[in-house]
Amino acid sequence: MCKVIAVSCSKGGVGKTTSAVNIGIGLAYSGKKVLLLDVDGQGDLSKSLGVENPESLDYTIARAMIAVANGEEADPREGIMTHMEGVDFLPANSKLSVLDKDLGSIPGSDTVLKDLVDCLKPDYDYIILDSKPAHVALSVNVLAASDYVLIPVLSEYLPCTDIEQTVLNVRLIQRRLNKDLKIGGIFFTMVDDRTLLSREVEKQIKEAYIGNVKIFDTKIPRSVRVAESSALGESIYRHDPHGKAAEAYKALTKEVLSYGQ
Ligand code: ATP
Ligand code: MG
């Protein structure tokens, strides 16, 4: 059965998009059929998968969501693109930000994305959603559509109010919209074990959440190779297959594969 996983955190720049791409492609390398959804009007996921100018695209996730919301006959698969490393993806551009503003004023709009995801589930083992940092109508849609939430955390940043906020959002959506939503876990990104701050942040987060929210064993190291791979439109496995970041994302993918088993 298809598992829907959101990579979500209310803080920006923590590695959500990078992790969605590398977990998604990691799952595809493990033989799974994977769809990545770009649920951010910045189109960063689309760019990380090689779309040079998302603004030039006619058919994006916004159009698919509008079609589903209006009950149009259009095939929601129409805009799906395929990346050279074996994942499918539905791209986004600024039209999604426009839709985001409109969604707030439409009754019942919280589950438009869920309706789209439900149409696409039969074709995939995993659907991974890359979301925006802000608290907007789309973030509610993302959590309403998902089975699991993965929360990337920068290990260089205190206080941890963003994790708290993200966990509270999940709890709220669990109560109101999606009782099956689970926190898949917190994982540390851009880790530099050599810094005292990094170790201190990890210690505090573990103390605050252990026994309550899963904290992944795997930590993603800071590596310039990761940033390079996004700019080149490829995964870390292709760009630097033997590097530490590729090993870490492989291990994280394995942890994700164990969900529900
Ligand atoms: P936003 O909130 O804007 O959507 P985000 O949470 O999706 O941001 P990313 O875009 O994935 O974060 O990452 C932010 C920046 O950090 C990008 O330039 C990315 O290339 C870089 N980055 C991500 N992971 C790593 C890493 N492990 N090592 C070094 N740089 C990284
Ligand atoms: Mg992003």
Side-chain angles (χ1 to χ4, degrees):
M1 214 174 72
C2 177
K3 295 190 177 80
V4 184
I5 300 175
V7 184
S8 179
C9 179
S10 54
K11 184 169 168 53
V14 296
K16 292 182 290 296
T17 303
T18 307
S19 299
V21 165
N22 286 297
I23 293 169
I25 295 180
L27 290 167
Y29 280 132
S30 306
K32 302 296 179 189
K33 189 98 179 74
V34 180
L35 174 68
L36 290 157
L37 296 185
D38 193 345
V39 198
D40 181 348
Q42 295 181 103
D44 285 348
L45 180 106
S46 312
K47 290 178 210 159
S48 298
L49 292 169
V51 177
E52 278 179 23
N53 180 14
E55 290 307 315
S56 67
L57 298 173
D58 265 347
Y59 207 111
T60 60
I61 190 164
R63 180 133 163 220
M65 285 174 70
I66 291 166
V68 168
N70 292 340
E72 291 170 17
E73 291 275 309
D75 185 348
R77 294 170 198 82
E78 199 177 321
I80 291 177
M81 304 171 83
T82 300
H83 183 259
M84 61 184 164
E85 291 177 83
V87 289
D88 285 352
F89 66 103
L90 195 48
N93 60 23
S94 59
K95 287 183 190 126
L96 187 65
S97 309
V98 177
L99 175 65
D100 195 1
K101 291 200 186 86
D102 294 345
L103 275 176
S105 57
I106 302 170
S109 61
D110 290 346
T111 52
V112 174
L113 185 63
K114 178 180 167 40
D115 293 343
L116 172 63
V117 165
D118 284 346
C119 292
L120 300 169
K121 269 180 173 177
D123 296 340
Y124 295 98
D125 299 313
Y126 288 90
I127 299 180
I128 314 272
L129 282 60
D130 177 33
S131 64
K132 268 173 86 92
H135 308 289
V136 287
L138 273 176
S139 325
V140 175
N141 263 267
V142 164
L143 297 181
S146 299
D147 301 316
Y148 296 92
V149 185
L150 293 183
I151 309 174
V153 171
L154 269 190
S155 66
E156 290 173 356
Y157 181 78
L158 275 172
C160 312
T161 44
D162 300 298
I163 310 178
E164 237 170 271
Q165 188 58 55
T166 310
V167 172
L168 282 176
N169 289 346
V170 171
R171 302 289 183 227
L172 190 74
I173 300 292
Q174 278 170 336
R175 283 199 300 276
R176 300 185 63 105
L177 279 172
N178 181 2
K179 65 177 175 21
D180 297 327
L181 181 65
K182 296 169 214 48
I183 297 182
I186 292 173
F187 64 97
F188 296 100
T189 56
M190 301 187 223
V191 174
D192 185 347
D193 272 332
R194 291 166 305 182
T195 68
L196 198 61
L197 178 60
S198 204
R199 291 202 298 270
E200 185 55 30
V201 172
E202 279 182 45
K203 189 169 147 260
Q204 289 203 14
I205 291 176
K206 280 183 179 153
E207 279 169 9
Y209 291 99
I210 219 135
N212 186 9
V213 175
K214 177 186 163 75
I215 299 177
F216 283 87
D217 293 330
T218 308
K219 296 185 272 184
I220 308 299
R222 180 175 285 283
S223 155
V224 69
R225 299 301 219 158
V226 175
E228 286 169 8
S229 67
S230 305
L232 290 167
E234 61 188 21
S235 74
I236 189 64
Y237 316 111
R238 190 178 162 100
H239 184 60
D240 186 28
H242 306 296
K244 275 197 307 194
E247 285 308 317
Y249 270 118
K250 250 183 236 167
L252 187 64
T253 302
K254 254 196 201 148
E255 294 199 61
V256 171
L257 269 167
S258 68
Y259 281 171
Q261 281 167 6

